[in-house]
Amino acid sequence: MTERYVLDLQEVDETQAAVVGGKGAHLGGLSRIEGIRVPAGFCVTTDAFRRIMAEAPSLDDRLDQLSRLNPDDREAIRTLSAQIRRTVEGIAIPDDLTAAITRALVRLGEQAAYAVRSSATAEDLPTASFAGQQDTYLNVVGPTAILQHVSRCWASLFTERAVTYRQRNGIDHRTVHMAVVVQRMVFPHASGILFTADPVTGNRKVATVDAGFGLGEALVSGLVNPDVFKVRHGEVVAKAIAAKQRAVHALPTGGTQEVAIDSRRQEQPALTDAQVVRLVQLGRRIEAHFGRPQDIEWCLVDDGFQIVQSRPITTLFPVPETGDRENHVYVSVGHQQMMTDPMKPLGLSMWQLTAMVPMHAAGGRLFVDITRRLASPASRAGLLDVIGRGDPLVRDALETVLDRDDFVPSLPDAGPGGPPTGGASATIETDPAIVTELIERSQVSIAALQRDIRTKTGPALFEFLLEAFAEHKRVLSDPLSMQAIMAGMEATWWLNDTLQEWLGEKNAADTLTLSAPDNVTSEMGLALLDVADVIRPHSEVVAFLQGVEDEGFLDELAKLEGGTEARDAIQAYLDRYGMRCVGEIDITRPRWRERPTTLVPVLLDNVRNFEPGAAERRFEQGRRKARQKEQDVLSRLRALPDGDRKAGEAKRMIDRVRTFIGYREYPKYAIVSRYFVYKQALLEEAERLVQAGVLPEKEDIFYLTFQELHDVVRSNQADDRLIQQRKDAFRSYHALTPPRVLTSDGEAVTGAYRRDDVPAGALIGLPVSDGTIEGRARVILDIAEADLEAGDILVTTFTDPSWSPLFVAVAGLVTEVGGLMTHGAVIAREYGLPAVVGVERATRLIRDGQRIRVHGTDGYVEILP
């Protein structure tokens, strides 16, 4: 029995994390790689930990208590975890276990110095590194001390930080067990960390080495700044040598001590360039073995490197898989669609199947490969122009990549560059009947979809859906629809560029587009004001809505005075707009019709903050301002040389922008309307799978791609393990920040605003809606948490159309993501809200409740004292 308590490092590999924990498994794997030296040692297995935990039955109750605590209740976690640690450390190690550990020590040298290191089963995972969550003890000498430190490692599974980390990551305390690695100490001349990919940019071709004198603890604990070397293609391409004033050394009697470094040595590099290059070669071998970039702890002993740890770098954004070795440049779809959160597999695959261009998935997000378009000078210019108008940060990032030597090859213009990004050229007449006809066409197509899908089930539903996707793409790519969208956008650009040139006026189109007709997204925000008008007179209904938590609340309303009218008004709103939700490009996200409680806080804000008839007044006020602006612009133009011609051209463009700019929002509404029809049919199919015992719950289908779900329906069999892996991966993707531009080297290229016309300390963004406003910042990350007062300024990560009901209640808008023609910008202009988008890290740099000033004309935000 005793053999399973201790395993030599040579006996284990990375498949045995359940037995020896993540660290032990990785060290075992490392020790098997040719040319990699790992200090000798052994693992005290998780069986030993379970045996110890079983010695104290009281631990069971305490773990139950712990799992019920709120992760934010730090005081309770601190107290309870300390009690558990004391209990674990106080358990006497049984004789057979003591004997097994002592035997292993005798084999390696009983009186030698050892490092005793925790190795939890939920550690060094591909999705969560748990780095620094458990404890390591260095230079431990003698069997008694080693056994004591093994106990401490077991107890360190319950440090406050480890407990909180697990709770925040949704990991059950009972499922995590602790092994302990006991390794011969090495007394290095230098030590440090090697990242086989650049941890800042993500570039997989650039390795970074941090190095200092003595033991690595000096670097890990932040006692000294390391020397930093960057290596690319086998040569040191950059280095910064730090003044290393202190080091951590081992003491002969055990333990460690900080020592001062001789002033003459402080600025000596800890490694030579040749040693750095040799270390990186070892790192590449380790990376190849584990199949992903690694964060490696190393020691230099007598000019030879020993590896004491390797774990995956979990913060890197994954690279789309292409199957070739060519260079690729990818642009984020989420930044264009105002949805940078991760999408579930069904959501990703449905968007891919209905999109107009091929899209690649990585890290739960979608990207378009634009390498070919960048490679051809003709398509490159048009692409950069359109992208730059939408989001200057993306353009700047692409120009950064193009400036690099030969990353993007140059193709002749005749090469397969694809059409310019502008889409169909806008040669249509300025005729409102065109928009009416396009909306009718879309409605007819959706009605046919709703009618024809009703009878389809099983594999026949999937065949039908593939045909529906073809129709979906046909409607989206309707040349007339593309022309109408481009006509509105090009007229906007013309007005802004030309009126700035002729009249010196910035962003004139912002006012000229106020309350433009046929904008389904801005109508949606105003329509919720009308619903508030129905509810406001009925105090019983208002009081009821303030306590609503259950999604079935609409049925309850009818029992109250005025409740039937309230229910009918909300129901009519949901019939028209209930297919919308935050992150609506992901079909798996709950729609308003599925979760109407989402709208209740916004509705109550409208009841509180507005007078009856606000929607109509608001729309009329915008139309009047736009008309006044038009008259003002035209009269000023007529006063210029050649004024009648200029005024005539401007009038034609104003009519054009007012005719077509509202339609810009309609295709997305049509897509999401179709999506809701698809989703309802797929959920009915999921219900049948649950009834048949194929799936435990309906929402499990969200973790399968469309094709995989088709296969499950055909075979009546599902892979539970695959679904669980997908759930774990999806959870891990939330920690990743998707880059605007990503290269096949894994480099996240952020781009910068090249501006010097902004006050010091201001946050720079893109001006998308005219005007300056000062007010209280409300940092809101979830629409259901909205609690707005008149005059507040909304600060959030991104706004898709589902946020527009909030726009009627705020005075200004700041977002981290967005461009000139994204939905938030279009609606901000429609409502006349000063807005700045694309403000990097706005939700972290601006605190909720701070006073800020939004400069919507010049594109920056000031935080006021």
Side-chain angles (χ1 to χ4, degrees), residues 90-120:
I91 296 168
I93 300 177
D95 292 348
D96 55 342
L97 185 44
T98 301
I101 294 171
T102 309
R103 270 200 304 279
L105 285 171
V106 169
R107 249 190 344 266
L108 290 176
E110 204 173 348
Q111 288 307 315
Y114 289 86
V116 182
R117 317 173 77 188
S118 310
S119 179

Side-chain angles (χ1 to χ4, degrees), residues 18-218:
V19 182
V20 294
K23 194 172 286 165
H26 273 81
L27 282 167
L30 281 166
S31 65
R32 291 160 179 249
I33 306 172
E34 197 179 331
I36 302 297
R37 290 167 59 201
V38 175
F42 60 89
C43 301
V44 182
T45 66
T46 52
D47 284 340
F49 173 75
R50 273 191 286 267
R51 169 92 184 268
I52 288 295
M53 293 295 279
E55 297 277 323
S58 66
L59 285 169
D60 258 2
D61 291 344
R62 290 198 174 142
L63 288 180
D64 277 345
Q65 283 175 265
L66 200 56
S67 60
R68 287 196 294 269
L69 292 178
N70 183 322
D72 295 323
D73 190 349
R74 302 207 27 202
E75 194 52 49
I77 288 175
R78 185 177 299 130
T79 307
L80 192 51
S81 57
Q83 286 172 7
I84 295 172
R85 282 198 307 282
R86 276 199 301 277
T87 305
V88 173
E89 283 188 44
I91 296 168
I93 300 177
D95 292 348
D96 55 342
L97 185 44
T98 301
I101 294 171
T102 309
R103 270 200 304 279
L105 285 171
V106 169
R107 249 190 344 266
L108 290 176
E110 204 173 348
Q111 288 307 315
Y114 289 86
V116 182
R117 317 173 77 188
S118 310
S119 179
T121 52
E123 184 175 62
D124 297 347
L125 305 176
T127 54
S129 78
F130 286 73
Q133 294 308 314
Q134 278 89 37
D135 292 347
T136 286
Y137 301 96
L138 298 179
N139 202 31
V140 183
V141 179
T144 308
I146 285 167
L147 287 166
Q148 184 188 11
H149 284 86
V150 167
S151 280
R152 284 186 186 166
C153 283
W154 287 329
S156 77
L157 191 62
F158 303 102
T159 61
E160 184 189 343
R161 64 179 183 274
V163 166
T164 306
Y165 188 94
R166 285 197 293 274
Q167 284 181 298
R168 288 196 192 288
N169 283 278
I171 294 164
D172 181 352
H173 301 301
R174 294 171 185 287
T175 61
V176 184
H177 299 115
M178 180 65 86
V180 181
V181 175
V182 180
Q183 252 180 317
R184 284 289 294 257
M185 265 301 282
V186 287
F187 300 103
H189 160 72
S191 58
I193 300 177
L194 156 63
F195 299 97
T196 63
D198 189 317
V200 178
T201 68
N203 194 326
R204 308 313 199 253
K205 299 273 175 74
V206 175
T208 302
V209 175
D210 288 4
F213 294 123
L215 291 166
E217 299 310 292

